[in-house]
């Protein structure tokens, strides 16, 4: 009896883990746009006050996760590498356009551009957070239900 309960608990936990794993791309997308918006805010502050070179500002910022890696790679090679499965083609194009404006023109032009992008980034961050919440809960519940169904079939 105890063995059946233990195996059942393991199966349910494993299926929940699979659901959590399936929702990983939505969590990565949320983290990406959160870091993106944070960078935009910091870069606007940089443009308004210190106006250091782009490489210095990016080095100090450091970046987080995949966004930080992409940003650092862009600053070093001036090539955009956004080969992440969780980004759509439209999002990749938006990021490439954004990166191409980094360090271009004077501070006034850049401030105007990046201020205009703040609303778009906030929208993308909000969308990715709501999508992550919906899909994360969905995959968790599907994993739980699949585990329960599997246990019922076995027992």
């Amino acid at each position: 009896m105890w063995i059946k309960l233990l195996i059942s608990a393991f199966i349910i936990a494993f299926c929940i883990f699979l659901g959590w794993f399936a929702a990983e791309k939505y969590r990565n997308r949320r983290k990406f746009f959160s870091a993106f918006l944070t960078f935009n805010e910091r870069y606007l502050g940089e443009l308004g006050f210190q106006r250091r070179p782009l490489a210095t500002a990016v080095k100090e910022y450091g970046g987080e996760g995949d966004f930080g890696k992409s940003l650092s790679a862009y600053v070093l090679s001036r090539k955009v590498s956004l080969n992440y499965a969780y980004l759509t083609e439209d999002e990749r194009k938006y990021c490439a356009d954004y990166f191409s404006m980094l360090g271009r023109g004077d501070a006034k032009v850049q401030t105007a551009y990046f201020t205009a992008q703040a609303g778009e980034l906030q929208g993308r961050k909000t969308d990715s957070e709501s999508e992550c919440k919906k899909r994360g809960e969905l995959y968790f519940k599907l994993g739980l239900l699949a585990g329960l169904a599997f246990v019922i079939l076995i027992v």
Side-chain angles (χ1 to χ4, degrees), residues 126-144:
T126 304
D127 290 346
S128 66
E129 286 174 345
S130 65
E131 186 80 13
C132 179
K133 186 175 184 328
K134 286 191 301 190
R135 298 295 176 133
E137 291 175 358
L138 174 71
Y139 287 136
F140 175 80
K141 291 174 185 174
L142 283 175
L144 177 65

PDB file of all heavy atoms in Angstrom, residues 126-144:
ATOM      1  N   THR A 126       4.543  43.642 -19.982  1.00  0.00           N
ATOM      2  CA  THR A 126       3.247  43.307 -19.403  1.00  0.00           C
ATOM      3  C   THR A 126       2.629  42.100 -20.105  1.00  0.00           C
ATOM      4  O   THR A 126       2.095  41.197 -19.453  1.00  0.00           O
ATOM      5  CB  THR A 126       2.295  44.521 -19.496  1.00  0.00           C
ATOM      6  OG1 THR A 126       2.912  45.633 -18.859  1.00  0.00           O
ATOM      7  CG2 THR A 126       0.963  44.234 -18.841  1.00  0.00           C
ATOM      8  N   ASP A 127       2.718  42.078 -21.444  1.00  0.00           N
ATOM      9  CA  ASP A 127       2.195  40.935 -22.200  1.00  0.00           C
ATOM     10  C   ASP A 127       2.923  39.645 -21.835  1.00  0.00           C
ATOM     11  O   ASP A 127       2.291  38.596 -21.659  1.00  0.00           O
ATOM     12  CB  ASP A 127       2.328  41.180 -23.701  1.00  0.00           C
ATOM     13  CG  ASP A 127       1.384  42.255 -24.200  1.00  0.00           C
ATOM     14  OD1 ASP A 127       0.445  42.624 -23.465  1.00  0.00           O
ATOM     15  OD2 ASP A 127       1.603  42.737 -25.332  1.00  0.00           O
ATOM     16  N   SER A 128       4.235  39.721 -21.723  1.00  0.00           N
ATOM     17  CA  SER A 128       4.994  38.505 -21.407  1.00  0.00           C
ATOM     18  C   SER A 128       4.709  38.040 -19.978  1.00  0.00           C
ATOM     19  O   SER A 128       4.666  36.835 -19.720  1.00  0.00           O
ATOM     20  CB  SER A 128       6.493  38.730 -21.611  1.00  0.00           C
ATOM     21  OG  SER A 128       6.997  39.663 -20.691  1.00  0.00           O
ATOM     22  N   GLU A 129       4.487  38.976 -19.051  1.00  0.00           N
ATOM     23  CA  GLU A 129       4.144  38.585 -17.679  1.00  0.00           C
ATOM     24  C   GLU A 129       2.784  37.912 -17.620  1.00  0.00           C
ATOM     25  O   GLU A 129       2.613  36.893 -16.943  1.00  0.00           O
ATOM     26  CB  GLU A 129       4.168  39.799 -16.758  1.00  0.00           C
ATOM     27  CG  GLU A 129       5.551  40.274 -16.424  1.00  0.00           C
ATOM     28  CD  GLU A 129       5.564  41.563 -15.626  1.00  0.00           C
ATOM     29  OE1 GLU A 129       4.514  42.256 -15.558  1.00  0.00           O
ATOM     30  OE2 GLU A 129       6.628  41.891 -15.075  1.00  0.00           O
ATOM     31  N   SER A 130       1.793  38.474 -18.315  1.00  0.00           N
ATOM     32  CA  SER A 130       0.459  37.861 -18.291  1.00  0.00           C
ATOM     33  C   SER A 130       0.478  36.506 -18.995  1.00  0.00           C
ATOM     34  O   SER A 130      -0.161  35.553 -18.526  1.00  0.00           O
ATOM     35  CB  SER A 130      -0.571  38.789 -18.922  1.00  0.00           C
ATOM     36  OG  SER A 130      -0.322  38.978 -20.293  1.00  0.00           O
ATOM     37  N   GLU A 131       1.216  36.417 -20.094  1.00  0.00           N
ATOM     38  CA  GLU A 131       1.330  35.133 -20.805  1.00  0.00           C
ATOM     39  C   GLU A 131       2.017  34.095 -19.920  1.00  0.00           C
ATOM     40  O   GLU A 131       1.613  32.933 -19.874  1.00  0.00           O
ATOM     41  CB  GLU A 131       2.120  35.337 -22.101  1.00  0.00           C
ATOM     42  CG  GLU A 131       2.176  34.131 -22.985  1.00  0.00           C
ATOM     43  CD  GLU A 131       0.910  33.948 -23.802  1.00  0.00           C
ATOM     44  OE1 GLU A 131       0.092  34.861 -23.868  1.00  0.00           O
ATOM     45  OE2 GLU A 131       0.768  32.856 -24.365  1.00  0.00           O
ATOM     46  N   CYS A 132       3.051  34.498 -19.207  1.00  0.00           N
ATOM     47  CA  CYS A 132       3.769  33.592 -18.312  1.00  0.00           C
ATOM     48  C   CYS A 132       2.853  33.101 -17.197  1.00  0.00           C
ATOM     49  O   CYS A 132       2.849  31.920 -16.858  1.00  0.00           O
ATOM     50  CB  CYS A 132       4.996  34.290 -17.735  1.00  0.00           C
ATOM     51  SG  CYS A 132       5.930  33.269 -16.586  1.00  0.00           S
ATOM     52  N   LYS A 133       2.083  34.007 -16.654  1.00  0.00           N
ATOM     53  CA  LYS A 133       1.177  33.634 -15.565  1.00  0.00           C
ATOM     54  C   LYS A 133       0.120  32.652 -16.058  1.00  0.00           C
ATOM     55  O   LYS A 133      -0.120  31.618 -15.443  1.00  0.00           O
ATOM     56  CB  LYS A 133       0.516  34.883 -14.989  1.00  0.00           C
ATOM     57  CG  LYS A 133      -0.339  34.625 -13.769  1.00  0.00           C
ATOM     58  CD  LYS A 133      -0.852  35.942 -13.218  1.00  0.00           C
ATOM     59  CE  LYS A 133      -1.637  35.880 -11.971  1.00  0.00           C
ATOM     60  NZ  LYS A 133      -2.446  34.802 -11.661  1.00  0.00           N
ATOM     61  N   LYS A 134      -0.503  32.970 -17.203  1.00  0.00           N
ATOM     62  CA  LYS A 134      -1.541  32.096 -17.751  1.00  0.00           C
ATOM     63  C   LYS A 134      -0.977  30.729 -18.128  1.00  0.00           C
ATOM     64  O   LYS A 134      -1.522  29.700 -17.736  1.00  0.00           O
ATOM     65  CB  LYS A 134      -2.185  32.731 -18.982  1.00  0.00           C
ATOM     66  CG  LYS A 134      -3.124  33.862 -18.685  1.00  0.00           C
ATOM     67  CD  LYS A 134      -3.922  34.284 -19.903  1.00  0.00           C
ATOM     68  CE  LYS A 134      -3.033  34.725 -21.024  1.00  0.00           C
ATOM     69  NZ  LYS A 134      -3.741  35.351 -22.143  1.00  0.00           N
ATOM     70  N   ARG A 135       0.105  30.742 -18.894  1.00  0.00           N
ATOM     71  CA  ARG A 135       0.669  29.478 -19.377  1.00  0.00           C
ATOM     72  C   ARG A 135       1.307  28.673 -18.254  1.00  0.00           C
ATOM     73  O   ARG A 135       1.236  27.444 -18.252  1.00  0.00           O
ATOM     74  CB  ARG A 135       1.701  29.735 -20.476  1.00  0.00           C
ATOM     75  CG  ARG A 135       1.165  30.388 -21.696  1.00  0.00           C
ATOM     76  CD  ARG A 135       0.169  29.512 -22.408  1.00  0.00           C
ATOM     77  NE  ARG A 135      -0.398  30.219 -23.540  1.00  0.00           N
ATOM     78  CZ  ARG A 135      -0.514  29.704 -24.736  1.00  0.00           C
ATOM     79  NH1 ARG A 135      -0.121  28.466 -24.965  1.00  0.00           N
ATOM     80  NH2 ARG A 135      -1.061  30.409 -25.699  1.00  0.00           N
ATOM     81  N   GLY A 136       1.926  29.349 -17.304  1.00  0.00           N
ATOM     82  CA  GLY A 136       2.531  28.645 -16.181  1.00  0.00           C
ATOM     83  C   GLY A 136       1.488  27.897 -15.370  1.00  0.00           C
ATOM     84  O   GLY A 136       1.668  26.724 -15.013  1.00  0.00           O
ATOM     85  N   GLU A 137       0.384  28.571 -15.081  1.00  0.00           N
ATOM     86  CA  GLU A 137      -0.700  27.916 -14.341  1.00  0.00           C
ATOM     87  C   GLU A 137      -1.318  26.796 -15.162  1.00  0.00           C
ATOM     88  O   GLU A 137      -1.645  25.731 -14.624  1.00  0.00           O
ATOM     89  CB  GLU A 137      -1.769  28.942 -13.957  1.00  0.00           C
ATOM     90  CG  GLU A 137      -1.314  29.931 -12.916  1.00  0.00           C
ATOM     91  CD  GLU A 137      -2.338  31.013 -12.643  1.00  0.00           C
ATOM     92  OE1 GLU A 137      -3.417  31.029 -13.294  1.00  0.00           O
ATOM     93  OE2 GLU A 137      -2.062  31.862 -11.774  1.00  0.00           O
ATOM     94  N   LEU A 138      -1.494  27.033 -16.457  1.00  0.00           N
ATOM     95  CA  LEU A 138      -2.072  26.020 -17.329  1.00  0.00           C
ATOM     96  C   LEU A 138      -1.220  24.756 -17.359  1.00  0.00           C
ATOM     97  O   LEU A 138      -1.728  23.643 -17.174  1.00  0.00           O
ATOM     98  CB  LEU A 138      -2.230  26.577 -18.748  1.00  0.00           C
ATOM     99  CG  LEU A 138      -2.695  25.573 -19.806  1.00  0.00           C
ATOM    100  CD1 LEU A 138      -4.145  25.208 -19.571  1.00  0.00           C
ATOM    101  CD2 LEU A 138      -2.491  26.152 -21.191  1.00  0.00           C
ATOM    102  N   TYR A 139       0.081  24.917 -17.583  1.00  0.00           N
ATOM    103  CA  TYR A 139       0.954  23.749 -17.654  1.00  0.00           C
ATOM    104  C   TYR A 139       1.086  23.051 -16.309  1.00  0.00           C
ATOM    105  O   TYR A 139       1.222  21.828 -16.250  1.00  0.00           O
ATOM    106  CB  TYR A 139       2.321  24.131 -18.209  1.00  0.00           C
ATOM    107  CG  TYR A 139       2.297  24.414 -19.698  1.00  0.00           C
ATOM    108  CD1 TYR A 139       2.950  25.506 -20.230  1.00  0.00           C
ATOM    109  CD2 TYR A 139       1.617  23.581 -20.571  1.00  0.00           C
ATOM    110  CE1 TYR A 139       2.927  25.764 -21.587  1.00  0.00           C
ATOM    111  CE2 TYR A 139       1.594  23.830 -21.921  1.00  0.00           C
ATOM    112  CZ  TYR A 139       2.241  24.918 -22.428  1.00  0.00           C
ATOM    113  OH  TYR A 139       2.210  25.157 -23.774  1.00  0.00           O
ATOM    114  N   PHE A 140       1.044  23.798 -15.215  1.00  0.00           N
ATOM    115  CA  PHE A 140       1.063  23.178 -13.894  1.00  0.00           C
ATOM    116  C   PHE A 140      -0.176  22.308 -13.710  1.00  0.00           C
ATOM    117  O   PHE A 140      -0.077  21.149 -13.273  1.00  0.00           O
ATOM    118  CB  PHE A 140       1.125  24.252 -12.803  1.00  0.00           C
ATOM    119  CG  PHE A 140       1.030  23.697 -11.413  1.00  0.00           C
ATOM    120  CD1 PHE A 140       2.136  23.145 -10.801  1.00  0.00           C
ATOM    121  CD2 PHE A 140      -0.177  23.713 -10.726  1.00  0.00           C
ATOM    122  CE1 PHE A 140       2.055  22.617  -9.526  1.00  0.00           C
ATOM    123  CE2 PHE A 140      -0.271  23.186  -9.452  1.00  0.00           C
ATOM    124  CZ  PHE A 140       0.846  22.642  -8.851  1.00  0.00           C
ATOM    125  N   LYS A 141      -1.331  22.859 -14.051  1.00  0.00           N
ATOM    126  CA  LYS A 141      -2.586  22.104 -13.893  1.00  0.00           C
ATOM    127  C   LYS A 141      -2.644  20.913 -14.839  1.00  0.00           C
ATOM    128  O   LYS A 141      -3.128  19.839 -14.461  1.00  0.00           O
ATOM    129  CB  LYS A 141      -3.777  23.021 -14.117  1.00  0.00           C
ATOM    130  CG  LYS A 141      -3.935  24.038 -13.004  1.00  0.00           C
ATOM    131  CD  LYS A 141      -5.022  25.039 -13.310  1.00  0.00           C
ATOM    132  CE  LYS A 141      -5.076  26.105 -12.233  1.00  0.00           C
ATOM    133  NZ  LYS A 141      -6.030  27.159 -12.580  1.00  0.00           N
ATOM    134  N   LEU A 142      -2.156  21.094 -16.059  1.00  0.00           N
ATOM    135  CA  LEU A 142      -2.121  19.964 -16.992  1.00  0.00           C
ATOM    136  C   LEU A 142      -1.200  18.862 -16.491  1.00  0.00           C
ATOM    137  O   LEU A 142      -1.509  17.673 -16.626  1.00  0.00           O
ATOM    138  CB  LEU A 142      -1.679  20.439 -18.374  1.00  0.00           C
ATOM    139  CG  LEU A 142      -2.719  21.165 -19.204  1.00  0.00           C
ATOM    140  CD1 LEU A 142      -2.091  21.683 -20.496  1.00  0.00           C
ATOM    141  CD2 LEU A 142      -3.897  20.272 -19.504  1.00  0.00           C
ATOM    142  N   GLY A 143      -0.065  19.247 -15.932  1.00  0.00           N
ATOM    143  CA  GLY A 143       0.846  18.254 -15.367  1.00  0.00           C
ATOM    144  C   GLY A 143       0.196  17.515 -14.205  1.00  0.00           C
ATOM    145  O   GLY A 143       0.310  16.290 -14.098  1.00  0.00           O
ATOM    146  N   LEU A 144      -0.481  18.239 -13.345  1.00  0.00           N
ATOM    147  CA  LEU A 144      -1.170  17.615 -12.214  1.00  0.00           C
ATOM    148  C   LEU A 144      -2.253  16.668 -12.704  1.00  0.00           C
ATOM    149  O   LEU A 144      -2.355  15.519 -12.230  1.00  0.00           O
ATOM    150  CB  LEU A 144      -1.766  18.695 -11.307  1.00  0.00           C
ATOM    151  CG  LEU A 144      -2.569  18.198 -10.113  1.00  0.00           C
ATOM    152  CD1 LEU A 144      -1.663  17.443  -9.149  1.00  0.00           C
ATOM    153  CD2 LEU A 144      -3.263  19.363  -9.422  1.00  0.00           C
TER     154      LEU A 144
END
